[in-house]
Every structure is written in structure tokens, then in C-alpha cells.
Amino acid sequence: MSTEHRDRLLEGIGWKARGDRVPEFPNPRPFFPRLKHSIKLIPLFVRVALHTFVEWWNGREAFIDIFNVFRHFTFTGVPLGGIGSGSIGTDFRGGFNRFSIIPGIKEQTDTQKCNQFIASVHSKKTFELIYQSILSCAEFPSTVLPKWDSTIPAEDVRYRGLFPRAWQEFRLGSSGITVVIEHLSPVIPNDYSDSSLPLANFDFHVFNDSPEEVEVSITMAFRNGTGNRKWNDEHLCTSQKVQKETQVVRTLSHTVKGMPVTYAIGTEEKNGAKVTTCLFDPNGTGGRLWSDLEAYGHLSSYDNLPPKPKELGIAVCSSFFVPPDGSHTTQFSLSWYMPEVHFGTAERFYNRRYCRFFNGPDADEVAAAICRHGLQNIEKWQEAIEKWQNPIITNQKLPEWYRSAIFNELYYIVDGSTVWFEYDPDWRTEENLISEQTEKQFREYGRFGYMESWEYFMLNTYDVHFYSSWAILKNWPEIEMSMQLDFADQVDRIDNGTATSLADGDQMLIKSYDRIPHDMGHPMADPWLHTNAYILHDTGSWKDLNLKFVISCYRDYKMIAKDREDKDQLLEFFLGKCTKIVEDALESWDKDKDGMIENDGFADQTYDVWKMTGTSAYCGSLWLAALTCYIEMLKQAGSPSKHYEGKLLNAYDAYTTKLWNGRFFKFDELPDNSKIVMADQLCGFWALTAMDEPVQVSEEKMKLALETIFKYNVQMYNDGKCGAVNGFLTSERVDGSSIQSEEVWAGITYALSAMMIEKNMDEMAFKTSEGLFESIWNRFPLQYQTPEAITSDGMYRALGYMRPLSIWAIQHALDRRHKK
């Protein structure tokens, strides 16, 4: 590989940093309400605090723990792993951290010194040690493995991330040796097998710019556990060396939270490389391993380990010669085989999706097989990822930031505490409403779940998934279909259990008939068996959940199922569910019988502390979209639709009469709210436009509304450097009526930009989202942990959030235009 190509690896499209990076605002802070809002929230705070205490007392955790807020990690890099297999975080300075292999849980652990790459360089002629160091510029406690006392100067480390790949460059002092590591996880669109693997590959390129031939040794070390002290010594550790032909794998079997897991490190003896392995004590000095590499350039001695260790480290070393002014490549793979898992209450066990492809009674052999599969397919995966990404990243007409953002924001599909399970026939015994249609889908494509946020303990939050689903629809449409069918089965489900609404203290049913659940449950309990972990409000009264379901039913039918053999059965199935929802909405929510639904004067939608009264721009547009989609489904099925078409005409008339003011759609019917410009006011019209369905509001009105949003919510908010604030007043100040009106929601900003693209307002669209991306990823150190909300002064809320995946709606809009 030439020096020119080496530089391209680090200088291409992607998120880039040097080891000593200091962002413009290095210390953003977690959310805390202003005094004005705090006073109003005192009753809510008391109820939430009491609920949290009761959950703690009973050994559980609140669905949102306000006393244990996640804090950002300044040095976060591209996460590792396939979809739903558990992920392992990385440090862009070098190292591993923040494991998420426990279903639904993201562990905030520091970068682990034990889990590292080590480089050793010797002169071939004299075998004198030229250089030896951990491949990291991170700071580690001196008490941990104290003999591993050498790190790389921060200015000699460069990083580029473009999910699911990343490149790290380490210059090894004055040795003339440069090491470039490509991290790669097999996350590939429309791939439902390899994309599920608990695996990461590391492709090493070692460059020798010196006039002397050298022997270079690259060692990968890893310890048991996740960096969380709870699991460090919970079970006996065992290790095996598994060799098949030239491929050598070292395994490490143990448990994490009582669930068996086997780590494995693999590499290959090829191109003259010599492979050695060893075990070491992660609590020791690390002296034997370090001195072996220092003296011999390979591993030979084992620490004096107890016969049945509860803590254990494994290491694999590849040693090879690099000629002067030459290069050498070698690959490592890391797998974490954890096939059978459970959630908090362990009411039932689940098999990971990859068990369909890799499974067996000998965990060491299976983990080694996954490693070998990675080593054998790294070039194939590189080509597949480049084929997917190149049309976008080489398109000079697109802004550079966007070509990075569209892939890097996809990190959450792996790192969103994501689970992907194989179907178990026993589910229908416990969930008797699983339909034949859903069972058929599950059998082929499995069941999928991801968390609303790392710190919001709710799986598959539906009102948020409405936005983020575009990333899944565009890249793994059959996963989206599995999720939509899963929610369809919930329409008829009833849970007569009660809870106290934290917002108002009233008693409410957990799950009402004909209502879509807010979420599929708490990972500390058992999702799917116990839905609706969210109890801030009675979401059975929410106006957007059911409407988003109807819209998504038609969208997924039209965009995924239209060419399937069972499309007619799917349409009939969705139509049956949607009929109940539409009829109930007309009966229960259209108070004045004008065809348009009304909000009930509380926060009865995804903006759950922002009250809407009467007809609202947000829920009203969703109702118009849902009714349009329902009518289209009726027509596709050959059923009468005239009655609903009349309702739709009346609803449009009521909506525009009540809310259109000549420049934008008013927030709701309250006179006090007439000056609020809401960034998300066109949400339903965006959904219809993205599906190429008609909107019975003029193009002029929609473009005027978008221009107004851009003027107030974007340009007047921090000079357009932070995205679109949710609410802005025509009196030219932020709407301070609620916490959420003052925030910028990343997912909403991306969705708004997508609508602008649909209306050929590209410059405005990209400026809107550029400010957001630049703030989160560059001005603030929030890369690969995009929060739900930020403010211009660097306050964030809900780190690691699903809604920003809506950026793929922008790409959908661009793709639609290209096809036209």
C-alpha cells in the first residue's frame, strides 16, 4: 500500500480527530431544567422520585432514572459488532469501552487497559528492541498492569470514522514505523445473516519508512467481563487455543450477569507471520507478557495463574518482517459468542439471531468459527460496504458533512442496546395474539428491538420509531416489517394492570384495547411480556401513536410488501387493525364532528411535556396523513372509501380554517399559542410526501411554512449553528412555554430537512441540518452518542437516542428525486 493510499484512509469522508483533539465546547452538560420550569415540575418531580425509590427498593430500575443521568464520553469512536448481537464501544485514541452485550443495557465503563493492541518493533539484524507501546494515547491508572507503561503521544494518533468502519493511525516515534488499523463490523444493507454476527475485524497495515528491515509484533489482549466490576469475578474463566489449518484462535469463556459468554481473538499464520498466544492475570503487573514481547517479539510465558481463575486475560500475537520502505498487512478478529440471553426478570430466554448460522454445544469451537468467518470474509465485506457507501460519499454535489453524517448516525442500529432474536414457537403460548402473518415473518427474519435511549429504558418506543424507522426501512426493510407486524398484534391486546400516571397522579390502565403501546417494555423486566414501561402519561390517550401506526402500515405495505407473494394477506391484516383505529379516532377524538381530531389540553403525544389543545398542527397533520393512508388501503383492497373521503375533505377544511395564518400552521387553537412556530408542524404532510401520496394543502402553503420555520427556528436560533429549535415565537425569541419547546431535537431537525428536500429546497435543508451535525459532532464532543435534545449553550438530554436515525429520510428524498 502506497503512502498516498495510506493518507486517503485517514483523510477521506468521515468524522476525523487527532489524539489530542479539544472541541470548541469541550464540556457540554447533562440536562437540568431552568428555575421557571423547575417550579412547575415540583409535583412531577416528587412523584418520579417516589417511583424511582420504590423501583430501587424492589430491585428494579425506573424507566427513566433521573438520578443516574448518562454523561458523554469525549473520546467515543465507532462501535463494534453486528446488529442485535451486543456491541463494544471504542475510544478514538485507542482502546475498548462501554459494552452493551447485556440485552437492552448500555454500560458506561471506562476504556480498559487490559483490552488493547500492543506494537513491538525489533531490528531484524540485531534483534534490538526499537519500539514498544500500547496502541493508544489514552490515560490509564498506573496501578493497572503497571508494566504496560508506554503509550503513543497524542499528536501521533489520527482517527477517521465512517460507520461501520473506522481507521486509526499510530506513528511509532522515531522508528519510522506507522500502523494503520481498519476496524470493520459486518453491517451490510439487506444482509440478514452476517449483519447479525457478534464480530469485529481489524485490518492492520504496517508501514516501514526506515532504511532497515524490522520485525513487527502486533498483540491483541482482552480480559473477561465488560469493565463493570460487578462481572469481573462472578464465574470461573476457561480458555482454549483452537487452531484450524493456518488460523489460530484463543478463547475466553466466562459469564456476564449470569449469562455465558465466550470471547475469542483470532488471526492467521500467512505471509510469513508467526502466531503465538498466552494467558495473563489482568490484575497483575503484566510483566511477563510485556517482557516476552520486549525480549522475543512473541508470546511464550504464562502468568502464574490459579488453577480455577475467576479473572483472566488472553493475548494473541502476530509477528512478521517488514522490509525497508515496505509494508505488511495482517488481520485480527474479535468475537463475543453469547447465544442465549434473558432480560432482567429472566421470565424467558432468547436465542440471538446469529444462532441460526453459528451455534453448537462447544462454545469455544463456535466462537472460534465466528472469528474464522470474519478472517475469511473481511475483503468481501469491505467491498460490500464500499459498494453501498461510494455512490453517496463520492457525490460531490452533496455537502461533505452530510456524506459523513448519513453513515455515522447509523451507529445506533448496532449500539442502541439492540437485540435481534430467532423465533421461538413457545412465544405464541405466552403471547397468544401473535398472528400467523407475524409468526411467518419472525420465522424468517427474527424479532428486533432497540432502546429509545441508552438511559430511557424502553424497547421499541413507537412514537420515536416513526422517525428513526427510515434508517431500517432503507437498509433492512424486513426488520422494519417484523417490527410493524409486532405492533399490529398489540392493537387487540389488553393489560388490565394499573399504574399511577407520574404527570398527574391519576390511575390508568397499562394497555388499553385498540391502542398502540408506547413501547414494548423495560429491559430490566421482560419486554413483550410486559409492554408500556412508560408511565409518565396514559399513552392510551395519546393522539399520535395510533395515527403513526396507520401511516406506517400503508408505508410498509407500499414500500416493502408490494412485490411479495403475500401482499394481499398483509394488506388485509393491516387494514383490519387500521379500521378499528380510524373508527375509534372519529368516535373518541373528533369532539365537534368536523372530521378533524382534537388534542385534550395535556401533552398527549411525543412532545410529552408540551401541551396541545384543540386542533394542533402536529397531531392534525398526522390525522390527515393517517386518514389518507387508510383510504388508499381501502382502495387497494377494493373496499368502499367514499365515506372516509368525505371525512378527509372536511378534516382538511377544518385544519386550514383553524390553523393557517398566511405564513405557517399555528401550534394549536389556543390564542396564547398563536405566535409559536413549531419545527415539526408538517409532520404528517412529510410522511405523505415521502410516500408520494397527495397532500390536499397547496405547495405554496407548505413552502411558506418551511420558509417560516427556517427563518425563525433555524436562522434566528444561534445564527443557524444548532439545527431547528422546536418552538420559536414570531416575536423573535425561543418559545419558553415548556422544556421541550426550548430544545433542538436531532431527529426532528433531520426529518424537517427531509421535507425541505422533498420540496426542492435543498440549500435550506442542508443548512438546517448542518448546524445540528456540526454542533453535536464537532463543536460538542458528542460523536457516536447523539442525544435526543441539545440547546445552543451545550446542554444535552438522553444520550444515545434512536430518533436521529431519521437522517435516512433525507437520503430517501434524494433517492426519490434521482429515480424520477
Side-chain angles (χ1 to χ4, degrees):
M1 182 185 293
S2 67
T3 303
E4 181 183 349
H5 182 58
R6 172 179 55 180
D7 289 339
R8 282 205 303 270
L9 293 179
L10 275 300
E11 295 171 4
I13 294 295
W15 182 82
K16 286 166 277 193
R18 208 170 75 163
D20 55 358
R21 173 180 185 259
V22 179
E24 182 182 351
F25 296 97
N27 297 305
R29 63 194 191 281
F31 166 79
F32 194 84
R34 293 194 294 118
L35 179 62
K36 168 187 173 181
H37 297 307
S38 297
I39 294 171
K40 294 179 182 178
L41 292 172
I42 288 174
L44 172 61
F45 177 79
V46 171
R47 283 189 288 268
V48 170
L50 181 61
H51 169 72
T52 303
F53 176 76
V54 170
E55 292 297 287
W56 284 348
W57 184 261
N58 289 293
R60 300 187 298 263
E61 193 151 354
F63 69 97
I64 298 177
D65 185 353
I66 62 173
F67 301 108
N68 188 25
V69 176
F70 266 52
R71 292 186 176 272
H72 73 282
F73 180 62
T74 299
F75 308 104
T76 298
V78 172
L80 305 173
I83 300 172
S85 63
S87 62
I88 296 177
T90 65
D91 184 324
F92 71 71
R93 301 169 301 174
F96 305 90
N97 54 30
R98 296 191 164 199
F99 286 63
S100 186
I101 64 174
I102 300 170
I105 302 300
K106 178 78 168 178
E107 297 187 86
Q108 281 209 296
T109 51
D110 294 329
T111 298
Q112 301 296 297
K113 192 174 185 180
C114 298
N115 302 338
Q116 284 294 339
F117 291 108
I118 302 168
S120 308
V121 183
H122 291 82
S123 166
K124 182 183 180 183
K125 183 183 295 184
T126 65
F127 211 72
E128 176 187 358
L129 180 69
I130 298 173
Y131 194 92
Q132 183 163 303
S133 178
I134 296 172
L135 290 181
S136 177
C137 62
E139 296 179 0
F140 301 104
S142 59
T143 55
V144 178
L145 299 170
K147 293 295 184 181
W148 299 15
D149 59 356
S150 178
T151 56
I152 308 290
E155 63 270 21
D156 289 339
V157 177
R158 287 196 297 165
Y159 183 89
R160 175 169 77 99
L162 189 67
F163 180 85
R165 301 163 80 187
W167 294 263
Q168 287 175 305
E169 179 190 77
F170 301 93
R171 297 197 302 273
L172 307 189
S174 60
S175 68
I177 305 299
T178 302
V179 177
V180 177
I181 314 171
E182 178 189 331
H183 300 206
L184 181 148
S185 300
V187 180
I188 300 163
N190 296 301
D191 183 302
Y192 300 93
S193 54
D194 286 352
S195 290
S196 71
L197 295 178
L199 176 72
N201 281 332
F202 305 94
D203 193 10
F204 278 79
H205 303 274
V206 181
F207 300 90
N208 180 10
D209 296 327
S210 77
E212 178 184 3
E213 186 165 9
V214 295
E215 183 180 41
V216 176
S217 302
I218 301 295
T219 301
M220 184 175 188
F222 223 77
R223 67 156 293 157
N224 68 300
T226 63
N228 187 332
R229 292 181 181 179
K230 291 181 181 179
W231 330 124
N232 272 359
D233 60 354
E234 71 167 9
H235 196 268
L236 296 179
C237 297
T238 62
S239 178
Q240 298 290 331
K241 180 181 177 181
V242 182
Q243 184 161 359
K244 187 174 182 181
E245 298 175 348
T246 59
Q247 294 170 327
V248 181
V249 180
R250 170 61 71 176
T251 65
L252 174 55
S253 295
H254 57 294
T255 67
V256 171
K257 202 178 181 183
M259 292 174 278
V261 55
T262 300
Y263 295 154
I265 301 171
T267 189
E268 190 166 6
E269 292 181 323
K270 65 178 184 179
N271 301 329
K274 176 183 178 181
V275 176
T276 51
T277 76
C278 79
L279 308 179
F280 67 95
D281 179 2
N283 296 315
T285 66
R288 288 200 170 210
L289 184 152
W290 194 260
S291 60
D292 275 355
L293 294 173
E294 187 177 60
Y296 313 117
H298 58 81
L299 303 171
S300 58
S301 303
Y302 284 22
D303 281 351
N304 293 319
L305 297 165
K308 294 183 178 180
K310 284 196 169 184
E311 296 185 70
L312 186 63
I314 61 172
V316 175
C317 173
S318 176
S319 305
F320 45 83
F321 294 106
V322 188
D325 296 317
S327 64
H328 187 96
T329 62
T330 192
Q331 289 83 34
F332 283 79
S333 61
L334 171 69
S335 69
W336 48 100
Y337 177 59
M338 194 179 189
E340 188 178 63
V341 294
H342 61 76
F343 291 99
T345 50
E347 294 179 51
R348 66 183 180 192
F349 288 76
Y350 297 84
N351 289 319
R352 303 267 196 189
R353 167 69 176 177
Y354 58 76
C355 291
R356 173 178 289 208
F357 316 106
F358 290 92
N359 205 2
D362 189 328
D364 295 289
E365 288 289 344
V366 179
I370 296 171
C371 275
R372 290 194 296 269
H373 187 71
L375 294 170
Q376 291 163 355
N377 287 279
I378 185 168
E379 291 182 2
K380 170 188 168 184
W381 293 335
Q382 286 170 331
E383 291 174 3
I385 292 169
E386 287 170 4
K387 183 179 178 181
W388 166 40
Q389 295 184 338
N390 278 347
I392 295 174
I393 65 176
T394 60
N395 186 348
Q396 300 294 326
K397 295 180 181 178
L398 297 174
E400 184 173 330
W401 72 265
Y402 173 76
R403 289 180 274 161
S404 168
I406 189 64
F407 297 108
N408 277 323
E409 290 286 18
L410 199 57
Y411 82 94
Y412 200 75
I413 200 69
V414 158
D415 208 25
S417 305
T418 309
V419 294
W420 190 5
F421 298 135
E422 276 289 274
Y423 177 68
D424 185 340
D426 288 344
W427 292 350
R428 291 196 78 179
T429 303
E430 300 158 319
E431 302 174 68
N432 56 17
L433 289 174
I434 292 180
S435 62
E436 291 183 7
Q437 200 73 47
T438 306
E439 181 185 34
K440 178 184 174 184
Q441 182 75 14
F442 282 175
R443 284 186 182 277
E444 183 61 29
Y445 296 105
R447 193 177 217 176
F448 179 83
Y450 61 153
M451 301 301 292
E452 179 177 340
S453 167
W454 292 339
E455 55 185 301
Y456 288 4
F457 296 115
M458 294 165 282
L459 195 78
N460 293 352
T461 299
Y462 195 76
D463 56 305
V464 183
H465 174 71
F466 178 75
Y467 299 86
S468 59
S469 62
W470 282 101
I472 303 174
L473 175 69
K474 294 288 289 181
N475 295 293
W476 298 275
E478 295 298 348
I479 292 180
E480 164 57 23
M481 182 59 77
S482 289
M483 295 183 72
Q484 187 64 13
L485 287 166
D486 207 355
F487 272 97
D489 291 338
Q490 295 289 325
V491 172
D492 298 331
R493 186 171 178 269
I494 301 173
D495 185 338
N496 287 317
T498 59
T500 301
S501 165
L502 300 180
D504 54 29
D506 293 340
Q507 288 293 296
M508 61 187 185
L509 283 180
I510 296 294
K511 167 67 175 71
S512 305
Y513 182 74
D514 280 358
R515 295 290 191 270
I516 293 297
H518 172 272
D519 57 83
M520 286 297 190
H522 196 314
M524 303 292 191
D526 220 300
W528 289 294
L529 293 177
H530 307 288
T531 64
N532 272 352
Y534 177 95
I535 57 169
L536 183 62
H537 297 287
D538 178 2
T539 58
S541 300
W542 275 23
K543 304 304 180 293
D544 60 343
L545 285 167
N546 276 12
L547 307 184
K548 289 173 176 177
F549 173 77
V550 174
I551 295 166
S552 298
C553 279
Y554 179 59
R555 182 198 65 177
D556 290 358
Y557 165 75
K558 181 176 183 177
M559 298 179 65
I560 303 173
K562 62 181 180 182
D563 297 322
R564 286 169 45 155
E565 291 183 2
D566 63 345
K567 63 178 182 178
D568 293 338
Q569 294 95 319
L570 268 172
L571 178 62
E572 182 181 357
F573 178 70
F574 283 150
L575 192 54
K577 305 293 183 180
C578 293
T579 297
K580 297 176 184 179
I581 286 172
V582 170
E583 290 292 344
D584 183 72
L586 286 168
E587 177 65 28
S588 304
W589 297 342
D590 180 12
K591 304 293 174 57
D592 56 5
K593 303 306 175 186
D594 61 355
M596 173 51 64
I597 65 167
E598 287 84 34
N599 293 86
D600 286 330
F602 73 100
D604 53 355
Q605 28 64 42
T606 197
Y607 298 90
D608 56 1
V609 294
W610 199 3
K611 298 177 182 179
M612 297 179 184
T613 302
T615 298
S616 67
Y618 178 69
C619 289
S621 71
L622 286 170
W623 168 243
L624 294 169
L627 201 49
T628 299
C629 290
Y630 179 63
I631 290 167
E632 287 302 314
M633 283 190 278
L634 286 172
K635 290 178 177 178
Q636 293 276 348
S639 301
S641 60
K642 184 170 285 188
H643 169 71
Y644 298 101
E645 289 175 50
K647 293 284 186 183
L648 180 62
L649 286 173
N650 291 340
Y652 265 111
D653 183 59
Y655 184 80
T656 52
T657 300
K658 292 177 180 178
L659 301 181
W660 181 250
N661 66 4
R663 290 185 295 166
F664 61 94
F665 292 97
K666 291 184 291 186
F667 181 76
D668 63 11
E669 290 190 67
L670 284 184
D672 289 348
N673 291 339
S674 63
K675 293 182 178 180
I676 298 175
V677 182
M678 185 187 191
D680 207 13
Q681 63 185 264
L682 302 178
C683 184
F685 304 145
W686 161 59
L688 288 176
T689 305
M691 289 187 282
D692 202 22
E693 293 297 331
V695 178
Q696 297 179 45
V697 169
S698 69
E699 287 287 302
E700 180 187 11
K701 283 188 174 68
M702 286 191 282
K703 286 189 173 183
L704 270 172
L706 290 170
E707 288 168 357
T708 302
I709 295 167
F710 184 71
K711 174 184 175 181
Y712 289 101
N713 303 62
V714 179
Q715 290 184 306
M716 287 189 182
Y717 186 72
N718 200 37
D719 295 324
K721 296 178 181 178
C722 205
V725 69
N726 282 333
F728 207 91
L729 302 176
T730 53
S731 54
E732 300 188 2
R733 58 188 175 88
V734 172
D735 172 27
S737 63
S738 82
I739 291 168
Q740 291 170 340
S741 63
E742 298 178 340
E743 296 176 326
V744 174
W745 285 9
I748 301 305
T749 294
Y750 287 141
L752 172 63
S753 293
M755 181 59 167
M756 291 172 173
I757 295 285
E758 295 282 5
K759 298 303 174 186
N760 297 310
M761 304 163 80
D762 293 25
E763 183 178 357
M764 190 183 294
F766 286 126
K767 282 184 178 178
T768 294
S769 284
E770 180 179 12
L772 170 83
F773 181 80
E774 286 296 327
S775 286
I776 290 174
W777 288 75
N778 293 322
R779 293 172 63 230
F780 309 139
L782 299 176
Q783 71 282 352
Y784 304 107
Q785 49 198 324
T786 306
E788 159 75 320
I790 61 168
T791 58
S792 60
D793 59 354
M795 187 168 64
Y796 59 81
R797 182 171 58 78
L799 278 181
Y801 201 82
M802 67 160 68
R803 198 176 335 234
L805 288 169
S806 65
I807 191 172
W808 279 86
I810 296 178
Q811 190 57 40
H812 173 69
L814 294 169
D815 290 344
R816 280 195 346 108
R817 181 187 301 170
H818 179 71
K819 288 178 182 177
K820 286 182 178 179

